[in-house]
Amino acid sequence: YLDLDGFKAVNDLHGHDMGDRLLVALSNRMRDALRDGDTLCRIGGDEFVAVLVELEAPGDCEPILQRLLLAAADVVQLDETTVQVSASVGVTVYPRDGADADQLLRHADQAMYLAKQAGKNRYHLFDVDYDVAAKSRRETTEHIGHALKRNEFVLHYQPKVNMRTGAIVGAEALIRWQHPERGLLAPAAFLPAIEDQPVSIEMGEWVIATALAQMSQWQAMGLAIPVSVNIGARQLQDAGFTATLNRLLAAQADVIAHHLELEVLETSAMEDVAHVSQVMHG
């Protein structure tokens, strides 16, 4: 997928007739840069698609891509006017990228935008492995959001014990996912996927609210012990964190507030030290 860099400026400066002539000239040059059997077509504006066939290895396309870039970036003489643009090219290779034709075109288009962002006049190869991983993360994030709404998460409480006396001095709330198909899942199976996602804030709020409700039940039974919960980076640095925490504590006013302990990872705090310090003091 090829998009010309700077073509709009040519149209604006020299007019559409000159732009059309430039397109014709560059089309001929880029067609000549291809091999017999390859196909080049203009799909609109200053965008082109090239289909390169019978490549023995993915790397075999690189010399052809370089020729395309040189053809697009060479100066063009139109009457008394010298014009020069360049091209950004996005590439995907089938069958390594096993998508259908429409999706292959979209993948090449995505790669082309990355080539533009990287400085133009270059090509960028679509990263199949990254795309698969990104899709998996998106799907996991969506599933976790649905699981929250379906109340599939539970908190387990690990007691903290005075080893000299045997007395329980506190507990740590540990989240688990009661997955309907995979059974009980530990945090490592799902938390990394949402670490930087908005749903992590929603989950963190659920953890605090659920822990406070359990503390209320224990207090009614005569067991008033501190309970610690883990706070993630995204949750801690959210602008509404302090207000949310105050709201949750107010909703469970019978709980001794200082018995709720917040455990913060050092990596969370270090991302924005000034903001985190302000939140802690607030």
Side-chain angles (χ1 to χ4, degrees), residues 237-257:
Q237 297 178 103
D238 180 66
F241 173 72
T242 303
T244 297
L245 180 60
N246 287 331
R247 173 174 56 81
L248 294 175
L249 287 168
Q252 210 72 62
D254 59 315
V255 172
I256 302 171

Side-chain angles (χ1 to χ4, degrees), residues 22-203:
L22 176 62
L23 285 175
V24 172
L26 292 179
S27 297
N28 291 330
R29 287 184 178 180
M30 291 189 294
R31 181 192 60 198
D32 292 341
L34 300 179
R35 306 161 303 161
D36 291 340
D38 295 338
T39 301
L40 177 72
C41 67
R42 175 172 169 255
I43 59 174
D46 59 347
E47 297 175 318
F48 296 80
V49 169
V51 181
L52 313 181
V53 297
E54 297 181 357
L55 300 171
E56 293 185 5
D60 291 348
C61 68
E62 294 181 6
I64 309 167
L65 296 171
Q66 292 291 356
R67 292 201 301 268
L68 277 175
L69 290 174
L70 289 173
D74 200 6
V75 295
V76 178
Q77 189 70 38
L78 300 173
D79 298 331
E80 303 300 321
T81 304
T82 300
V83 181
Q84 185 174 27
V85 293
S86 62
S88 296
V89 183
V91 185
T92 194
V93 181
Y94 181 89
R96 181 182 177 189
D97 183 354
D100 60 26
D102 288 340
Q103 192 66 37
L104 286 172
L105 191 60
R106 285 195 287 271
H107 288 172
D109 188 20
Q110 292 172 26
M112 181 274 293
Y113 276 103
L114 292 176
K116 279 194 179 293
Q117 291 175 3
K120 305 178 181 179
N121 192 26
R122 67 194 64 208
Y123 66 85
H124 185 89
L125 187 64
F126 180 77
D127 191 330
V128 178
D129 294 337
Y130 177 84
D131 185 64
V132 170
K135 286 180 180 177
S136 177
R137 286 194 298 272
R138 287 195 298 270
E139 290 174 356
T140 300
T141 299
E142 291 176 0
H143 291 163
I144 289 172
H146 295 321
L148 269 174
K149 292 179 174 60
R150 292 193 295 260
N151 296 314
E152 293 178 4
F153 291 97
V154 295
L155 288 185
H156 289 187
Y157 297 88
Q158 180 171 280
K160 299 178 181 180
V161 180
N162 184 321
M163 297 302 290
R164 292 185 181 275
T165 65
I168 296 177
V169 296
E172 180 180 7
L174 304 171
I175 191 169
R176 299 289 186 269
W177 185 357
Q178 190 62 61
H179 197 285
E181 298 172 357
R182 299 167 59 191
L184 192 66
L185 300 182
F190 56 90
L191 287 185
I194 63 168
E195 185 175 359
D196 296 320
Q197 302 299 319
V199 71
S200 67
I201 299 175
E202 184 180 354
M203 177 175 287

Side-chain angles (χ1 to χ4, degrees), residues 236-237 264 268-270 272-281:
L236 181 64
Q237 297 178 103
V264 182
S268 301
M270 290 302 291
D272 188 342
V273 174
H275 174 70
V276 170
S277 177
Q278 183 178 1
V279 169
M280 289 180 173
H281 284 90

